[in-house]
Structures are given as C-alpha cells and as structure tokens.
Amino acid sequence: MHSGPLKDLVIVDCTQALAGPFGTALLADLGADVIKIEPPQGDMTRGTPPHPPDFASPGSDREAGCDFGGYFASINRNKRSLVLDLKNPEDREVFYTLIDQADALVENSRAGVMDRLGCGYETLAARNPRIVYGALRGFGDPRTGESPYVDWPAYDIVAQSMGGLAYINGPDSQTGFGAGASVGDLYPGTLLALGVVSAIHEARRTGKGQFVDVAMYDAVTFLCETLIVNYSYEQRVLKARGSGHPNLCPFDIYPTTDGAIAIAAPGPKHWAQLCEAMAKPELITDKRSHNVKARVENRDFVNQIIESWTRAHSKAELVSILGGKVPCGPVNTARDLFADPHLAVREMICEVELPGDNPAVQIAGAPIKFTRTPTASITRAPRLDEHRSEIIEQFQLRLS
C-alpha cells in the first residue's frame, strides 16, 4: 500500500480540523502509514462542504453514501481510519498497543487534553521510549515554554493576525486582511511534519523519542520573518504591502486586458530586459529607475509606466513576450490551474475515486517529488472506521 521514502514509518494520527491533518497528509504522501484515530462521531470536518452528489452524513449506515466532503477529502488522503473512543478504558488499551509499535503520535488538541485522557507524552513514552510525540497547538505546549495564552483556543485567522501576517497582507493596514489560503493552519502543519520526521531520525540513532511542539502563533511569526528584521534593523513597522514588495521594485501584480500578471524584475539584468520589452530603454539609465534603490523610492513612477504597458495586452500576450526572460506569471484562477500543462505533467491535480454513487474528483497532488523513491498514486480519504479489520490484523490489536 505504501511507497516513498517514509514507507517504513507508522504514524498514529489523532488530529482533526485542518492544521494537524495537513501535516500528517504530507507524511502520508511521502509513504508513511498514517493511521487516523477518530472518535465515534468522526473527525469534526468530515461533513464540511463542498459535498459530492451522493452524500451521506458521517457514520451513516447507508453503504453507498459518501461520508466526507471535499474539505476532509483533500487533507486526509492516503490515510487509514480506525475509530477508538479514548475515554473508554478498553479502547485506550488498544490505543496503547498501537503506540507500542508506532514511530510517532501526532495530535492538535488544546494543551492538557490528551494528558487528561491518559494519553499524554510521558504516559506513552514510558511504554515506548522511542515514540516521537508531535503536538500542534495555537500557542504551544508548556513542556517547551508556557505561554500566557496556553489555554486559549486558536484558528487560522487568529494565528494570521497575531503573527503579523494579516497586518502586512491586503491593500491597507487599517484592520488587517486574512490570506486567501489558510496559511495560519497550513504552514504550522508543514513545520510539524518536518519536526516529526527530524525527531524520528534522531530517535532511530539514539533509541530515545521526544516531544515535538509547534505553536501556530510561532509558525506564522517565523513565516513573517521580514517583520522582525525590518523592525530590528531600522525600527520600521512594515504596513500592508498590497501586491508589491517593501524592498524591491518592480515586484508586483499588474492589470491586463483579461486579468492580471505578476512581474518581478528587481535586478539589473531583468530590469533591462523588461525596459526593452516595453520599448522604454531610456528607463535603464533614468536616475529615477537606474537601480533598485531608485525604483523603490520612485515606485509610483515605475509602476505607472509598467501598468500603462500591461493594460494594453492580455495575460497570454505578456507571457509570450516576457516568459523565459523576465520573471513573470499570470494570476491564475482555479479554472486556469486545471488547464495548465505544468500542473498536469507534474501530477499536481490528481483524480481520486469516491465511495457511493459519485463521479471521480480532483484534489491537489503531492508537491515533493523523488527520483529513486517515488511515492504511490494518491488514494482517497478513508470512510469512518474503514480500515478497522486490516489494522487489527496488522498490529494484532484486541478490540472488545
């Protein structure tokens, strides 16, 4: 079932919602055997839309029904599902047996929840000293530094706002502007996957596991490292950057006759090529635009000239003129992504079957590629408790 560089890893996945499941999906994409432990009612996001035509609620007895929506499907692919009620002592013993044979456990509950269930790091490490315990929370875990916000719940938009991303994103800084993708969830989940793999690597060398902690607030702050360095060096509080860059020009999105295009030409070579393409060679030596410092100081002047040129062309025309010479790219819609030959050849839009009387659907593919240990085709997300029998047999679990 599993192939890829992590095919020898067993990950017990107790995550729900988006951040944690996204991190474990990365591990599953790389070949790890990710066993998703779900409560009897299933992951809270199983029923989140978009829904396929033949949709049944999570836990439905209707065999033909599809018991998950697109939100769940996208970030729980390549996983297996096993229902265990960790509040039940008998199910908890089954969980312990599984942990004894696993490389890592990953969870994203609030601090203390798993401890109160008798499934915290110290309890599991006493049974399996090699276990790596990955935790993703809004504000971290007291084991690595007790935040004054440790008990606060958090969601993507909270992490984006507190970490500074919302303030520098969007057209202005009056209220903040959340990113179109759930960066406050997805980036922490990515860091957690890296941390877990790193800790497993160390555990295999030393025989000792450890607790791996990623706070959503910390992750977004790290993502916004430019805020820290600009303030540290110059006490400069960066404001909303719109579509441009505070230290580079041109580095922006410009309107076209049918949408918009990104153009990035901050260096002298690309700036000269852009000027030639626009039939404005005089800008190469103009004191207002002869180097990047001058262009940043005269950003409105530079952008006005570029915009007047791009407005007269379509996206395709501009890509034809600049592509392969000046860094550029069209602002793509979802429809554009589905039509792009790059994404097709890179297998970044993958088709998966759904249970029930539903057509196949497409989800995002795996972005990490390998030459020697390629990963298998992406498989659909599991139905609730779908793999109970095979997991019981594989790990010799005793369920009541």
Side-chain angles (χ1 to χ4, degrees), residues 62-85:
R62 184 165 63 88
E63 286 296 322
C66 175
D67 64 353
F68 51 83
Y71 183 107
F72 183 87
S74 181
I75 56 172
N76 287 285
R77 76 278 194 96
N78 291 338
K79 302 178 185 179
R80 297 192 287 170
S81 173
L82 173 65
V83 167
L84 292 176
D85 182 357

Side-chain angles (χ1 to χ4, degrees), residues 205-274:
R205 186 178 73 249
T206 64
K208 296 179 180 179
Q210 59 184 305
F211 190 91
V212 180
D213 183 23
V214 174
M216 294 165 66
Y217 185 7
D218 296 356
V220 176
T221 300
F222 178 59
L223 182 67
C224 297
E225 46 76 34
T226 186
L227 289 175
I228 306 299
V229 295
N230 273 277
Y231 188 76
S232 173
Y233 276 63
E234 301 176 352
Q235 289 70 59
R236 181 185 180 192
V237 177
L238 294 183
K239 297 183 179 180
R241 57 182 279 182
S243 58
H245 191 287
N247 307 116
L248 301 173
C249 181
F251 205 95
D252 216 321
I253 295 175
Y254 301 92
T256 69
T257 59
D258 59 350
I261 186 172
I263 299 175
K269 175 184 175 181
H270 292 141
W271 173 242
Q273 290 174 318
L274 178 61

Side-chain angles (χ1 to χ4, degrees), residues 72-258:
F72 183 87
S74 181
I75 56 172
N76 287 285
R77 76 278 194 96
N78 291 338
K79 302 178 185 179
R80 297 192 287 170
S81 173
L82 173 65
V83 167
L84 292 176
D85 182 357
L86 297 182
K87 296 178 182 179
N88 182 307
E90 293 180 348
D91 276 11
R92 198 158 53 243
E93 287 298 325
V94 173
F95 178 75
Y96 291 153
T97 303
L98 190 56
I99 290 295
D100 292 345
Q101 303 171 68
D103 294 283
L105 171 134
V106 183
E107 54 101 342
N108 63 337
S109 301
R110 286 165 66 176
V113 170
M114 292 291 280
D115 300 272
R116 290 191 291 274
L117 289 171
C119 299
Y121 170 64
E122 288 75 18
T123 299
L124 303 186
R127 300 180 58 95
N128 179 1
R130 295 169 60 94
I131 195 73
V132 168
Y133 191 112
L136 195 159
R137 319 197 194 289
F139 303 98
D141 189 276
R143 294 172 176 88
T144 62
E146 187 158 2
S147 166
Y149 318 125
V150 66
D151 293 323
W152 290 18
Y155 281 106
D156 159 65
I157 194 62
V158 173
Q160 287 194 43
S161 297
M162 294 184 72
L165 179 59
Y167 190 74
I168 60 172
N169 192 39
D172 63 67
S173 294
Q174 295 302 309
T175 60
F177 207 93
S182 299
V183 183
D185 279 325
L186 303 179
Y187 187 62
T190 302
L191 293 184
L192 183 64
L194 175 61
V196 166
V197 168
S198 300
I200 292 173
H201 174 76
E202 199 270 345
R204 291 193 168 183
R205 186 178 73 249
T206 64
K208 296 179 180 179
Q210 59 184 305
F211 190 91
V212 180
D213 183 23
V214 174
M216 294 165 66
Y217 185 7
D218 296 356
V220 176
T221 300
F222 178 59
L223 182 67
C224 297
E225 46 76 34
T226 186
L227 289 175
I228 306 299
V229 295
N230 273 277
Y231 188 76
S232 173
Y233 276 63
E234 301 176 352
Q235 289 70 59
R236 181 185 180 192
V237 177
L238 294 183
K239 297 183 179 180
R241 57 182 279 182
S243 58
H245 191 287
N247 307 116
L248 301 173
C249 181
F251 205 95
D252 216 321
I253 295 175
Y254 301 92
T256 69
T257 59
D258 59 350

Side-chain angles (χ1 to χ4, degrees), residues 15 47 94 149 282 360 367 377 383 395:
T15 66
V94 173
Y149 318 125
E282 68 275 12
S377 299
R383 297 187 67 177
F395 295 96

Side-chain angles (χ1 to χ4, degrees), residues 94 97-98 101 390-399:
V94 173
T97 303
L98 190 56
Q101 303 171 68
E390 65 184 55
I391 294 172
I392 290 172
E393 180 179 356
Q394 178 183 350
F395 295 96
Q396 299 181 343
L397 306 178
R398 295 183 179 179
L399 280 79

